[in-house]
Amino acid sequence: MKQGPIGVFDSGYGGLTVFKEIVRRLPQYNYIYLGDNARVPYGTRSFETVYRYTWECVQHLFALNCNLVVLACNTASAKALRTIQQNDLPLYDPSRRVLGVIRPTAEVIGQYTRTGKVGILATQGTVSSESYVIEIHKFFPEIQVYQEACPLWVPLIENNEFRTPGAEYFIRKNLESLFAKGPDIDTVVLACTHYPLLTDIINKYLPVGVNLISQGELVADSLADYLERHSDLRACCSLGDSRQFYTTGGVPDFDEKASLFLGSEVQSAQLLL
């Protein structure tokens, strides 16, 4: 394969929290980030629609010479990853790889919990897929998993309204609902890449001693390990300091909001589907 950048895909901005940690952990590679902002949100869409949108965007990243694509989106990982890996890649190009964000979290969650009770905060789509329950039980069948769908959190973040009293009310109510299901939960996973922006507010309402797990570092560490174990794929990831950003939506809006997630200025280009 010809060398190319590592691709990172998300339905919008949230994947930038994962992108940021991947670049911090593996700064030696070139990267392309693609946000499908024109069709966000994914969390309330059907399995078929999320799969179709995700596969379409992955192919665009392949066309930009990415040999490895990370789905930095829990909904896409839950609803599209398996089909892409098992059905599409063998026909499209068996040498390409597409990875997700759920498995890296599931593989290590047992290291964080003492009570064996884990809470998942996610979009409705991720909760409905039960992907976290399934993946965690593959590695830790004894762990009890409790899920809470938080449908308002993403729009509150993307509209920059998450620092309001109204937003705090909904965050508190979702946390109360989660702990009503599992009072002995001692570890909570932010199973949506937007949610790290709410960490300060969430911590205000978490019981003392509860671990709050953000996925970015876990995914970055898992990717580093994956590349270490797959030298052929590692050799196909181009080295450098190129960071390119694409959006299927409006460029000015993407650049403004993406800068909020990354903590630095972003200059993107529009990718027309």
Side-chain angles (χ1 to χ4, degrees):
M1 287 188 293
K2 180 182 177 182
Q3 280 195 331
I6 295 173
V8 179
F9 167 73
D10 184 54
S11 59
Y13 308 100
L16 289 163
T17 61
V18 173
F19 176 85
K20 183 177 181 179
E21 293 301 328
I22 290 175
V23 172
R24 180 179 296 164
R25 179 71 173 79
L26 298 164
Q28 67 269 37
Y29 297 109
N30 294 319
Y31 293 93
I32 293 178
Y33 181 91
L34 171 58
D36 190 12
N37 302 83
R39 301 186 293 196
V40 76
Y42 277 24
T44 55
R45 298 189 186 275
S46 68
F47 273 75
E48 172 57 34
T49 299
V50 171
Y51 157 70
R52 181 162 47 86
Y53 288 177
T54 302
W55 177 229
E56 186 175 356
C57 289
V58 166
Q59 290 178 87
H60 278 291
L61 286 168
F62 286 163
L64 292 169
N65 297 320
C66 297
N67 300 306
L68 168 64
V69 174
V70 178
L71 302 185
C73 173
N74 283 273
T75 303
S77 296
K79 293 185 174 183
L81 179 61
R82 185 178 299 275
T83 302
I84 290 172
Q85 288 177 332
Q86 295 183 352
N87 297 349
D88 296 315
L89 289 183
L91 297 175
Y92 184 93
D93 185 346
S95 63
R96 310 256 188 171
R97 293 290 181 270
V98 179
L99 307 176
V101 293
I102 296 176
R103 189 180 182 95
T105 306
E107 287 177 334
V108 300
I109 197 65
Q111 301 173 18
Y112 295 90
T113 178
R114 303 175 308 280
T115 64
K117 294 179 171 59
V118 172
I120 304 294
L121 298 170
T123 65
Q124 184 61 60
T126 298
V127 168
S128 299
S129 75
E130 297 215 323
S131 294
Y132 273 91
V133 179
I134 293 167
E135 288 297 321
I136 289 173
H137 284 164
K138 286 180 182 177
F139 299 99
F140 305 100
E142 73 283 2
I143 288 180
Q144 292 179 259
V145 182
Y146 303 88
Q147 301 190 98
E148 174 71 12
C150 309
L152 293 178
W153 290 18
V154 168
L156 285 170
I157 292 169
E158 296 210 340
N159 291 318
N160 201 18
E161 297 174 352
F162 61 94
R163 296 185 182 93
T164 64
E168 192 160 326
Y169 168 82
F170 288 113
I171 293 166
R172 177 172 58 84
K173 295 299 287 185
N174 282 126
L175 289 171
E176 289 174 352
S177 176
L178 176 65
F179 282 92
K181 298 171 187 174
D184 295 327
I185 291 170
D186 71 344
T187 301
V188 173
V189 177
L190 299 180
C192 173
T193 53
H194 283 69
Y195 295 176
L197 272 70
L198 304 175
T199 296
D200 290 344
I201 303 172
I202 293 169
N203 277 325
K204 285 177 62 175
Y205 298 104
L206 279 183
V208 175
V210 172
N211 294 314
L212 186 63
I213 305 299
S214 241
Q215 295 177 297
E217 290 184 15
L218 301 182
V219 174
D221 288 344
S222 178
L223 179 59
D225 177 67
Y226 185 88
L227 289 173
E228 184 65 29
R229 291 183 289 107
H230 296 82
S231 57
D232 54 337
L233 186 62
R234 185 174 73 247
C236 294
C237 297
S238 59
L239 300 175
D241 59 1
S242 173
R243 314 287 186 252
Q244 296 176 270
F245 299 89
Y246 290 90
T247 175
T248 61
V251 166
D253 185 62
F254 179 86
D255 290 354
E256 178 184 352
K257 293 180 179 177
S259 299
L260 173 70
F261 283 82
L262 275 184
S264 59
E265 187 177 341
V266 171
Q267 293 184 328
S268 66
Q270 189 176 43
L271 190 152
L272 298 175
L273 298 176

